[in-house]
Amino acid sequence: YPTKSPVRLFWRNSLDCLKALFSNPLFSESIELTPQQIYKTAERLVRVYGKWMSGDLAWRMQVSVVLPECTILSSDKTHITNISGGKATHPLLISLANIHMDVHNKASSNAFLLTALLPIPDFIHPVKCMKSLLEDCL
């Protein structure tokens, strides 16, 4: 369907982003690479789940080769320009689930890397509800 302006997708390889996070020396003390099981008592009757590495998925991933479950993807609509055209996009951010939460919560730690800018196209259609439907489907 036609749009008011050409749709451009800006992206970079997500594996390169994950390699950059793993090799970042700032995260050397805040990345957990070994899963753990924490129990309330010595009899190991009640297990405590808190961090991501204390969950069952982390234990199952120890035997897998590919680790897609340990990534976090985040996106939210962001306005790029308000004055000239009101351009908006959805930035797609990627991070690792085994980075400590206190590091994730600091915006200055750069624990999330920009992987893609997903455009929000403005479709040209004479029927307004069809235009909205096209935007929602995309």
Side-chain angles (χ1 to χ4, degrees):
Y1 293 98
T3 59
K4 286 186 178 181
S5 61
V7 177
R8 293 187 181 147
L9 173 67
F10 297 97
W11 64 278
R12 61 182 173 177
N13 190 342
S14 58
L15 290 177
D16 291 340
C17 294
L18 294 176
K19 286 178 189 176
L21 288 170
F22 270 119
S23 63
N24 190 339
L26 297 175
F27 301 138
S28 64
E29 298 294 321
S30 58
I31 290 183
E32 292 185 40
L33 299 175
T34 307
Q36 53 189 326
Q37 290 182 342
I38 303 169
Y39 295 92
K40 283 195 177 241
T41 62
E43 292 81 28
R44 296 184 170 203
L45 298 174
V46 179
R47 189 165 162 200
V48 178
Y49 295 94
K51 299 177 183 177
W52 184 80
M53 291 301 275
S54 66
D56 292 328
L57 183 59
W59 283 93
R60 286 195 302 266
M61 284 177 48
Q62 287 293 91
V63 295
S64 70
V65 176
V66 182
L67 304 174
E69 294 92 356
C70 71
T71 58
I72 299 172
L73 294 174
S74 175
S75 181
D76 196 10
K77 184 177 180 180
T78 302
H79 292 279
I80 296 174
T81 61
N82 287 329
I83 298 169
S84 59
K87 299 284 184 186
T89 186
H90 284 280
L92 182 64
L93 305 171
I94 192 168
S95 187
L96 294 169
N98 50 347
I99 296 177
H100 292 168
M101 189 55 64
D102 57 337
V103 175
H104 269 286
N105 290 338
K106 291 181 187 175
S108 62
S109 70
N110 296 322
F112 285 90
L113 296 179
L114 181 64
T115 303
L117 285 175
L118 307 173
I120 302 174
D122 193 9
F123 289 100
I124 300 171
H125 202 281
V127 181
K128 187 174 184 178
C129 66
M130 187 63 178
K131 180 182 168 183
S132 298
L133 179 66
L134 289 170
E135 291 172 356
D136 290 342
C137 287
L138 186 63

